[in-house]
């Protein structure tokens, strides 16, 4: 027997669904000339672990500008209500190398740019030591809004933000990704392995080689000539070799090492 649903019920369920979308930050749908709802890039399936990033075959690749616009004044998770500035990413939109950190801190939240505080100065030092300029690489974070009190981002916040990180990486199409620190490395690789075990070996991130390494903040704590500092340098040497770029000659100063 066919059950018919009365139109008032359909309209009321649709209304509730639209209200739910509005509350989660969706503030409109692009509509084509025929009036049909176009597919929002937001709804792209997030590739499963091990699956390649969406190729641009057929369609022109998305631009970072478009992804930023699509984020808008994002309220897709609770960090939207406490952040000052959404920190999207910075650098070369066609970079061969992308650095991914955890999430903005107070300095980044104030300035709207990733890695601009003390950790940023350490990251700049690493980039310069590699013979590169900050403007040549692309820098972003797992989450785009500052977690209050610099706590770790929570699962629902990562879930809301990761489609945008994936879209950024797909748009930049880097040859290599460096995951900075335990949090970014474990999140991107979907593992609980400690950073001390993860670092130093390339892993696969949806078809792109990813090098996990220590976070610049950790190096600030261990010191500029610590064992961890030189571990990061060794990781960056592997990155430069993979990119077929010259490896600047650095030699470790002795007598000032820390256990890190
Ligand atoms: N730490 C991060 O992980 N990201 C930033 O942008 C700044 C500090």
């Amino acid at each position: 027997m066919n059950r018919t649903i009365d139109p008032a019920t359909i309209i009321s369920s649709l209304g509730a669904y639209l209200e739910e979308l509005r509350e989660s930050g969706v503030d409109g749908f692009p509509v084509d000339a025929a009036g049909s709802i176009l597919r929002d890039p937001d709804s792209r399936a997030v590739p499963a672990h091990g699956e390649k990033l969406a190729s641009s075959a057929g369609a022109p690749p998305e631009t970072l500008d478009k992804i930023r616009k699509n984020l808008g004044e994002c309220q897709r998770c609770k960090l939207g209500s406490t952040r000052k500035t959404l920190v999207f990413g910075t650098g070369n939109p066609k970079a061969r190398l992308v650095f991914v950190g955890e999430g903005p801190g107070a300095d980044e939240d104030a300035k709207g740019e990733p890695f601009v505080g003390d950790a940023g100065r350490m990251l700049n030092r690493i980039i310069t030591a590699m013979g590169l300029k900050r403007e040549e690489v692309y820098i972003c974070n797992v989450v785009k809004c500052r977690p209050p009190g610099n706590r770790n981002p929570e699962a629902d916040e990562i879930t809301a933000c990761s489609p945008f990180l994936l879209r950024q990486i797909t748009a930049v199409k880097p040859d290599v990704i460096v995951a900075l620190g335990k949090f970014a490395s474990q999140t991107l690789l979907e593992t609980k392995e400690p950073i001390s075990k993860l670092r130093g070996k390339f892993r696969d991130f949806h078809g792109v080689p990813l090098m996990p390494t220590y976070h610049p903040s950790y190096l600030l704590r261990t010191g500029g000539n610590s064992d961890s500092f030189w571990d990061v340098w060794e990781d960056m040497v592997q990155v430069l070799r993979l990119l077929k770029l010259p490896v600047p000659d650095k030699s470790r100063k002795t007598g000032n090492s820390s256990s890190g």
Side-chain angles (χ1 to χ4, degrees):
M1 193 176 73
N2 279 342
R3 238 185 96 223
T4 51
I5 305 174
D6 100 86
T9 308
I10 295 174
I11 288 167
S12 129
S13 314
L14 189 57
Y17 177 57
L18 290 173
E19 183 57 22
E20 236 176 69
L21 287 177
R22 197 189 59 74
E23 277 168 14
S24 67
V26 176
D27 48 16
F29 298 101
V31 175
D32 69 9
S36 64
I37 293 174
L38 293 172
R39 192 164 167 260
D40 188 281
D42 238 4
S43 65
R44 278 175 203 193
V46 173
H49 189 64
E51 208 180 313
K52 298 260 183 297
L53 290 173
S55 86
S56 55
E62 262 196 310
T63 64
L64 290 171
D65 280 351
K66 183 176 167 209
I67 300 165
R68 176 64 192 89
K69 278 202 190 95
N70 192 214
L71 264 166
E73 280 308 307
C74 187
Q75 295 295 331
R76 290 169 181 81
C77 81
K78 56 191 178 299
L79 297 181
S81 62
T82 51
R83 66 143 192 265
K84 271 202 203 91
T85 326
L86 186 151
V87 180
F88 182 63
T90 191
N92 179 358
K94 293 281 158 254
R96 297 184 63 207
L97 174 58
V98 168
F99 288 93
V100 182
E102 173 175 334
D107 293 311
E108 292 75 22
D109 185 46
K111 294 199 180 135
E113 183 173 334
F115 285 97
V116 288
D118 289 341
R121 278 183 280 284
M122 178 57 90
L123 178 60
N124 291 348
R125 208 176 137 188
I126 295 166
I127 294 170
T128 308
M130 295 172 82
L132 301 172
K133 296 195 178 78
R134 188 172 157 107
E135 314 81 76
E136 286 178 89
V137 301
Y138 190 76
I139 306 171
C140 55
N141 281 306
V142 170
V143 295
K144 308 206 167 343
C145 298
R146 182 190 182 206
N150 293 343
R151 64 156 170 76
N152 280 346
E154 291 171 359
D156 57 321
E157 298 156 359
I158 298 165
T159 304
C161 226
S162 11
F164 292 93
L165 176 61
L166 283 165
R167 284 167 64 188
Q168 280 172 292
I169 294 173
T170 308
V172 175
K173 269 177 119 228
D175 295 325
V176 182
I177 298 167
V178 171
L180 297 166
K182 164 185 153 165
F183 184 87
S185 304
Q186 291 185 341
T187 305
L188 293 176
L189 297 171
E190 296 179 41
T191 177
K192 286 274 170 247
E193 258 192 86
I195 184 65
S196 54
K197 291 254 157 52
L198 285 171
R199 65 145 288 272
K201 283 180 277 273
F202 282 110
R203 315 284 163 143
D204 175 76
F205 182 74
H206 302 291
V208 183
L210 180 148
M211 174 60 77
T213 198
Y214 294 125
H215 195 281
S217 304
Y218 178 63
L219 299 186
L220 286 173
R221 295 197 294 273
T222 60
N225 191 35
S226 60
D227 289 345
S228 335
F229 185 84
W230 289 100
D231 285 346
V232 170
W233 177 244
E234 278 169 21
D235 300 344
M236 296 308 104
V237 167
Q238 290 198 57
V239 167
L240 288 168
R241 291 211 170 109
L242 196 121
L243 291 169
K244 300 203 173 2
L245 291 174
V247 177
D249 187 25
K250 306 269 167 219
S251 50
R252 176 179 197 143
K253 290 184 222 117
T254 50
N256 182 29
S257 89
S258 138
S259 59

